[in-house]
């Protein structure tokens, strides 16, 4: 599976032999590949007017292109704001709850992202075909798809260590612009142009899969919530900056501490371990039916309702297993 | 009928070919595949509706919808056969006599004494004793011993000490269906009680001295409070409309020391429609998130669940926190009243959160108090306007509570689902007829078996591993919050999409923890046995060898801890395994659909299920270059190629 940004075909239908050679090199003998474009066909076509575009069949004959539309990042922030508003509504009124939830479109985004990731995973696992994923810049929806696909396909990504590596590889090193995207979150009065909860959506998708396969992950929900928090505000330098270049210029490695160095201490790690975890070597396919996707209470209703009873349940689970 | 195809509901490409059988009690589909010969059994009682759809090239489709939310789609090759099956099922699913029901032929091979014992498992007298009655304030009354006062009430009712027979009879004449105020729950800690009745026949201005005395008696039975709440669970408008018909609600001016309260829960017709709409949403093929959420909200279902819960919370608060007694009624006092009283009792008293206690609760507030099981759940063919998912809603309230208080209940989700299943299945006699009187006339206990005994026998399947009787969550009153953002009402896919395993979590936390607990217990027993052996060893001389052999045996038996990571992830076709459909012979009932346990032992055989959704939801349906709006392939440079869909369907 590879990721990139959009090819600059423009309105003239430019081609680039090197680019073709590069991605063709990943094709397995006798198999074709799939290009998963996270834009709708319309949007991809319109991109040509601005110098962008998509891979043309004539130039990439061994690749099938599939459009799996994931909403653009600038729409997502609005979604988050609406969702949080709906969640904070203290009225006892059940009447509009579901339509407010629906109006935020949050779960629709989750469904879209998971579906695209499952598709990518399916191409690899069932077809044995190589996959190239890209959107426009390759820094948002692209990363959601590639990282989730790996969680589906690769059991090592479901271990704590493996997941940390996944985040480092597919988000930090891949250049997801954390500083722009995770600037203010849902309550800010000023609407930042580049702000979007892309990483939170990714974590939410991971949580959805975790809920469906509660014994397949070494980490628990708290771990994901912790990562969400640190992406927005942190005493560690891990999520600072927009890419490795910036991090290097900021000399973060010398001036700040790494989140991982703290998380991986055994006394911290024990809080994030899933007592139900039983390592398996399976590919896990989540259901993306609306009935299977739920609101992530642990994040969105966290401050509204006592977690006491759920915490006690968690404790009980740990006790049962420890005692055994 | 041969060569019938059973379609997979979610993926209509997948169909099993087999033979369809109609028996006196079941519809049975047996797959042709010789190794498994998988069977699907459906009780006629479970059939809610049958739809004959337009004949296609492949045959005549027949859609069977069940009361337990199973949906079966058959394709019968010959139109003639299809019609015959259709007509037969219509008749079979609408029995006219009780004797046609399965419970009269069901034979679990128990002797007469075992059958009797089964019926004695739940004893309401014991229950009222447990509450602390009879005592200084409450007594048992036999005024209804021949059902002479109220034919939908039980022979034994509990009333305040100061309520004489005269008062009871007088009050009953002033109540719809003669359902006079009687005790549902008594809290011995503070003497507050929950009583239930039907609406008073007050019209605009009628009064009844005895009825007023009845309410006073209830108040006096609680010396800790100088008033009682009277809760009318109907919307105010409906209650007011009833006055024009000579019924209505209690006027605070006429009844001394009452505080009257409306808590609007909609009537059975609204609820019937609500469920219908929700099921339509469940049947949508590949709905978008919007379709689903809109559909769910439009049905109003969760709003109704919340209304029932809120009423229960109000009453529980009145009793536990204010120490005030409550009289609850609706119109006839057998639907909303039952729901609300049982929810309140459950919140108040941890006993009802145990398995046995829950059975007792249903016996008390639903069975003995004359909830019209026959009319509501269609044991016999009757008026479709009487059908309504009243007890289903109560059961869902319990599930919602279980989700918010995971340690508080001794039983698990499966327990609730199986109870719901059997309310409709008529395999057992507990939920037949409309009243205790009718059941005794039919001699139900001598001719059928009790569900409670059956469930109790299998209680290991129904335990909640997180329950500990000494846990704080299991003590005292449960206090759920009321705002939706504080108590999230979830869609219960385990019930309404029960048979679509692909939609549910593929690993069951409950089953995993139960397996761990079982292993722990085995280990403890082993430990004890070994301890004894050790003690014996120390007394005499024995071979080392013998001890070693014992230890090896143990590790083989307890497979939970042995890892088998050599299992390569082999993508497989999703094949309906035995666990997906009810597939038991009549003597065992057809409710078994044990959830998937993902222990290492099971991984090999259950692997296909994990790869399930690659063909269902994760991508196959939408692989072509379609635009998100669902239109056909847009003209583009791509139009010359094969559709992408073909690739994945091949």
């Amino acid at each position: 599976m590879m990721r990139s940004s959009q090819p600059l075909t423009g309105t003239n239908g430019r081609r680039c032999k090197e680019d073709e050679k590069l991605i063709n090199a990943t094709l397995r003998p006798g198999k074709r590949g799939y290009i998963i474009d996270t834009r709708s066909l319309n949007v991809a076509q319109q991109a040509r007017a601005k110098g962008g575009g998509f891979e043309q069949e004539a130039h990439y004959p061994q690749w099938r292109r599939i459009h799996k539309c994931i909403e653009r990042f600038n729409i997502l922030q609005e979604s988050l704001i609406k969702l949080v508003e709906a969640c904070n509504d203290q009225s006892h009124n059940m009447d509009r709850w579901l339509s407010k939830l629906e109006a935020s479109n949050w779960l629709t985004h989750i469904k879209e992202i998971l579906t695209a990731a499952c598709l990518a995973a399916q191409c690899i696992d069932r077809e044995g075909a190589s996959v190239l994923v890209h959107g426009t810049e390759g820094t948002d929806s692209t990363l959601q798809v590639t990282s989730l696909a790996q969680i589906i396909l690769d059991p090592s990504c479901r271990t704590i260590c493996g997941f940390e590596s996944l985040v480092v590889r597919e988000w930090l090193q891949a250049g997801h612009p954390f500083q722009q995207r995770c600037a203010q979150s849902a309550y800010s009065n000023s609407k930042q142009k580049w702000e979007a909860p892309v990483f939170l959506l990714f974590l939410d998708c991971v949580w959805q899969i975790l809920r469906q396969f509660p014994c397949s992950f070494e980490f628990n929900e708290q771990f994901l919530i912790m990562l969400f928090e640190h992406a927005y505000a942190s005493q560690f330098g891990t999520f600072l900056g927009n890419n490795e270049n910036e991090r290097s210029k900021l000399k973060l490695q010398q001036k700040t501490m790494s989140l991982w160095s703290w998380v991986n201490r055994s006394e911290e790690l024990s809080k994030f371990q899933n007592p139900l975890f039983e390592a398996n070597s399976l590919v896990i396919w989540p259901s993306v039916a609306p009935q299977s996707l739920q609101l992530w209470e642990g994040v969105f209703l966290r401050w509204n309702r006592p977690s006491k009873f759920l915490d006690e349940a968690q404790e009980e689970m740990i006790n049962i297993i420890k005692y055994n | 009928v041969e060569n019938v195809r059973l379609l997979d509901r979610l993926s209509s490409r997948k169909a099993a070919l087999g033979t369809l059988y109609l028996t006196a009690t079941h519809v049975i589909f047996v797959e042709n595949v010789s190794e498994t010969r998988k069977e699907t059994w459906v009780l006629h009682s479970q059939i809610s509706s049958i739809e004959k759809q337009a004949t296609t090239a492949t045959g005549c489709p027949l859609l069977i919808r069940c009361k337990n939310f199973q949906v079966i789609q058959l394709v019968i090759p010959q139109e003639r056969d299809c019609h015959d099956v259709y007509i037969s099922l219509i008749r079979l699913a609408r029995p006219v006599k009780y004797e046609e029901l399965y419970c009269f032929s069901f034979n679990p091979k128990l002797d007469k004494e075992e059958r009797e014992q089964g019926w004695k498992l739940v004893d309401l007298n014991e229950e009222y004793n447990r509450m602390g009655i009879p005592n200084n304030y409450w007594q048992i009354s036999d005024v209804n011993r021949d059902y002479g006062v109220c034919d939908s009430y039980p022979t034994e009712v509990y009333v305040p000490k100061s309520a004489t027979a005269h008062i009871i009879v007088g009050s009953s004449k002033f109540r719809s269906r003669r359902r006079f105020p009687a005790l549902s729950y008594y809290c011995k800690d503070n003497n507050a009680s929950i009583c239930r009745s039907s609406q008073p026949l007050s019209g605009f201005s009628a009064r009844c001295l005895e009825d007023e005395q009845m309410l006073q008696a209830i108040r006096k039975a609680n010396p800790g409070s100088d008033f009682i709440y009277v809760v009318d669970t109907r919307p105010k408008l409906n209650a007011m409309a009833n006055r024009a018909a000579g019924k209505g609600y209690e006027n605070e001016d006429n009844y001394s020391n009452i505080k009257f309260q409306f808590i609007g829960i909609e009537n059975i017709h609204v609820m019937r429609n609500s469920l219908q709409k929700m099921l339509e949403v469940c049947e949508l093929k590949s709905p978008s998130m919007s379709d689903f959420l809109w559909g769910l909200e439009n049905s109003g279902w969760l709003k109704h669940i919340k209304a029932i819960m809120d009423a229960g919370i109000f009453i529980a608060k009145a009793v536990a926190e204010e120490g005030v007694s409550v009289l609850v009624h609706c119109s006839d006092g057998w639907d909303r009243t039952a729901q609300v009283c049982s929810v309140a009792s459950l919140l108040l008293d941890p006993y009802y959160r145990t398995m046995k206690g829950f059975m007792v609760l249903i016996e008390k507030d639903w069975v003995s108090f004359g909830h019209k099981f026959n009319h509501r759940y269609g044991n016999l063919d009757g008026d479709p306007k009487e059908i309504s998912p009243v007890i289903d809603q109560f059961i869902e309230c319990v599930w919602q509570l279980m989700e918010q208080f995971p340690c508080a209940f001794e039983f698990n989700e499966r327990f609730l689902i199986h109870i719901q299943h059997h309310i409709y299945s008529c395999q057992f006699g507990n939920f037949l007829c409309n009243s205790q009187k009718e059941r005794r006339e039919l001699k139900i206990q001598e001719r059928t078996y009790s569900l409670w005994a059956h469930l109790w026998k299998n209680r290991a399947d129904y335990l909640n591993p997180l329950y500990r009787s000494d846990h704080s969550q299991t003590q005292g009153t449960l206090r759920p919050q009321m705002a939706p953002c504080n108590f999230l009402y979830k869609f219960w896919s385990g019930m309404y999409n029960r048979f679509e395993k692909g939609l549910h979590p593929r690993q069951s936390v409950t089953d995993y923890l139960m397996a761990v607990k079982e292993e722990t217990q085995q280990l403890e027993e082993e430990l004890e046995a070994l301890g004894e052996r050790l003690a014996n060893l120390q007394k005499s001389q024995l071979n080392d060898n013998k001890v070693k052999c014992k230890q090896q045996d143990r590790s083989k038996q307890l497979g939970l801890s042995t890892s088998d990571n050599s299992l390569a992830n082999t993508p497989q076709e999703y094949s309906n395994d035995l666990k997906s459909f009810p597939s038991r012979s009549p003597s065992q009932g057809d409710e078994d659909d044990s959830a998937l346990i993902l222990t290492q032992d099971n991984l090999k055989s259950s692997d296909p299920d994990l790869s399930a959704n690659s063909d269902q939801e994760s991508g196959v349906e939408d692989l072509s270059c379609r635009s998100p709006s669902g239109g056909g392939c847009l003209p583009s440079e791509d139009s010359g190629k094969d559709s992408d869909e073909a690739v994945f369907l091949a």
Side-chain angles (χ1 to χ4, degrees), chain A residues 27-91:
Chain A
L27 287 172
R28 295 172 63 204
K31 296 251 182 203
R32 55 180 165 198
Y34 290 90
I35 297 175
I36 297 181
D37 190 327
T38 62
R39 305 164 294 179
S40 67
L41 182 57
N42 258 346
V43 170
Q45 286 169 331
Q46 284 161 17
R48 288 183 293 194
K50 297 189 211 147
F54 52 90
E55 296 80 354
Q56 296 184 289
E57 297 60 40
H59 304 153
Y60 298 85
Q62 289 158 292
W63 294 83
R64 276 277 186 276
R65 201 180 66 240
I66 303 170
H67 289 270
K68 226 32 192 155
C69 177
I70 293 177
E71 198 57 75
R72 192 117 177 80
F73 75 83
N74 42 6
I75 310 283
L76 303 178
Q77 185 67 5
E78 213 32 69
S79 235
L80 177 66
I81 292 173
K82 282 198 183 135
L83 176 62
V84 171
E85 249 174 53
C87 290
N88 285 338
D89 183 353
Q90 286 284 341
S91 77

Side-chain angles (χ1 to χ4, degrees), chain B residues 286-316:
Chain B
S286 311
S288 70
M289 203 69 216
S290 291
D291 291 338
F292 179 73
L293 290 173
W294 266 117
L296 194 57
E297 171 142 297
N298 193 35
S299 75
W301 182 258
L302 290 177
K303 185 177 70 160
H304 299 313
I305 298 290
K306 180 179 187 322
I308 297 164
M309 188 81 84
D310 285 350
I313 292 172
F314 175 85
I315 293 170

Side-chain angles (χ1 to χ4, degrees), chain A residues 75-87 104-106 109 181 184-187 195-198 200-201 228 232 299-300:
Chain A
I75 310 283
L76 303 178
Q77 185 67 5
E78 213 32 69
S79 235
L80 177 66
I81 292 173
K82 282 198 183 135
L83 176 62
V84 171
E85 249 174 53
C87 290
S104 76
N105 268 328
W106 185 262
H109 301 317
R181 299 282 181 270
Q184 309 263 15
S185 193
Y187 292 117
E195 170 109 37
V198 177
L200 174 58
L201 276 164
F228 154 62
Y232 279 90
V299 166
F300 297 109

Side-chain angles (χ1 to χ4, degrees), chain A residues 34 57 64 87 95 99 102 119 122 126 212-213 215 281-283 291-292 304 312 316 323-324, chain B residues 290 297 303 468 473 485-486 497 503 506-507 519-520 524 567 569 607 610 614 623 638 644 647:
Chain A
Y34 290 90
E57 297 60 40
R64 276 277 186 276
C87 290
D95 261 338
S99 51
E102 189 279 324
L119 182 63
Q122 204 171 352
R126 292 301 179 90
Q212 295 188 23
F213 293 91
C215 305
S281 53
L282 298 162
V283 175
Q291 292 94 318
S292 310
N304 294 336
E312 284 173 355
E316 193 61 31
Y323 182 62
N324 174 270
Chain B
S290 291
E297 171 142 297
K303 185 177 70 160
R468 252 177 35 227
Q473 246 180 71
C485 64
N486 297 343
N497 284 115
L503 294 184
R506 244 62 49 68
Q507 293 170 321
E519 191 200 47
T520 303
E524 284 175 324
L567 184 71
N569 58 343
D607 190 35
L610 286 182
S614 59
L623 296 180
D638 297 324
D644 286 311
V647 170

